[in-house]
Amino acid sequence: MFDDSLESAAECGFQSMSLLVKNISITRENKTIVSDFSLECASGECVVIRGKNGGGKSTILSAIMGFADVAVTTGDIVLEGESILLEKTYVRARRGVFLAHQEPPVIDGVSLSFMARASLEAIHGITDVPEAQRRIRETLSTLGLPDDFVQKTLHGDMSGGEKKRAELFHLVLLKPKYALLDELDSGLDAASCDLAAKIITNMRKEGMGFVIVTHSDAFVQAVNPTRIVII
């Protein structure tokens, strides 16, 4: 599905300030999952992707992030005017693309605290331990999480809701340019969903762009998207 507004935006050079997915087809294990899909998310915008289960919504986010288990066979992915189609996942992350997983992977032996410090160093070059700890404490406070939450094994000894809060924690901590949220609201209680929506609203005001996959009408209403793309 291609929004006609993308063509006019591209003609005006608007893609230099956006994440542009243009006419991509995606395969997994040599099977075509998505065909000729396009969207554009500019700085401060929120684009919601909706559709039936198995339609390829998560696959689209995986392709934008550059995961190795999917392949873009046609089309392009352009970040602020430059193609990132051939870039590794870690390069895309350093350039400001972030993904909150639908099913966050368990990383045995790694605490949330360790991953947070490693992410701050890898993405933002922050090697000063006191500064990293200050940012971690500030993020915990923003989310209303206890200090010992970061001592948990990353997604290992966490409930479903805690896993999603850990993803939200990384989003707030790292402050990417563009955030891909794959059913972040799933597994969160009503209060946490409300908090997530408020955080998204505030970050949009700071210029962060969001591409959100969700099945929840209430969450769509809460995040007030710029547009909705149906796949």
Side-chain angles (χ1 to χ4, degrees):
M1 182 176 182
F2 186 72
D3 188 336
D4 290 339
S5 65
L6 301 189
E7 289 188 308
S8 60
E11 289 170 359
C12 295
F14 187 60
Q15 73 271 27
S16 64
M17 302 184 296
S18 69
L19 174 64
L20 176 65
V21 177
K22 190 168 184 179
N23 303 106
I24 63 171
S25 295
I26 311 169
T27 62
R28 177 183 279 121
E29 298 178 348
N30 296 318
K31 179 182 179 181
T32 299
I33 308 297
V34 175
S35 297
D36 194 30
F37 177 84
S38 298
L39 67 78
E40 182 166 27
C41 178
S43 174
E45 288 190 335
C46 176
V47 179
V48 167
I49 303 176
R50 306 200 75 178
K52 64 182 180 179
N53 287 329
K57 300 182 298 297
S58 296
T59 300
I60 291 167
L61 301 192
S62 294
I64 295 172
M65 203 68 230
F67 288 168
D69 63 332
V70 298
V72 176
T73 56
T74 61
D76 202 359
I77 301 172
V78 180
L79 177 63
E80 298 186 338
E82 295 183 9
S83 175
I84 57 171
L85 194 60
L86 301 180
E87 301 285 8
K88 299 293 186 183
T89 298
Y90 72 88
V91 175
R92 301 183 195 204
R94 286 176 177 170
R95 293 187 61 178
V97 183
F98 170 91
L99 172 64
H101 297 264
Q102 180 179 357
E103 294 292 340
V106 176
I107 305 180
D108 291 326
V110 176
S111 69
L112 180 58
S113 176
F114 177 87
M115 181 59 74
R117 293 195 305 272
S119 298
L120 284 170
E121 180 174 352
I123 303 300
H124 295 298
I126 297 172
T127 58
D128 181 67
V129 173
E131 174 59 17
Q133 291 176 332
R134 183 192 68 78
R135 294 191 182 208
I136 290 171
R137 288 194 303 269
E138 184 179 85
T139 301
L140 289 170
S141 177
T142 298
L143 298 176
L145 294 170
D147 290 346
D148 61 359
F149 184 76
V150 292
Q151 302 311 316
K152 290 178 176 289
T153 299
L154 188 59
H155 305 140
D157 54 353
M158 296 180 176
S159 67
E162 285 177 332
K163 290 179 181 180
K164 295 304 180 77
R165 291 184 187 93
E167 295 289 86
L168 188 58
F169 167 85
H170 273 114
L171 169 66
V172 176
L173 178 72
L174 296 176
K175 296 179 173 61
K177 293 180 179 179
Y178 300 94
L180 317 174
L181 308 184
D182 194 356
E183 295 193 38
L184 177 68
D185 56 299
S186 176
L188 290 177
D189 57 34
S192 295
C193 280
D194 288 344
L195 176 60
K198 289 178 182 177
I199 287 171
I200 290 167
T201 298
N202 290 335
M203 287 184 157
R204 287 179 64 186
K205 292 176 181 176
E206 296 173 1
M208 190 183 300
F210 286 86
V211 178
I212 300 176
V213 169
T214 181
H215 291 285
S216 169
D217 292 336
F219 196 65
V220 171
Q221 184 175 5
V223 299
N224 188 27
T226 310
R227 56 188 166 273
I228 299 173
V229 178
I230 307 297
I231 183 172

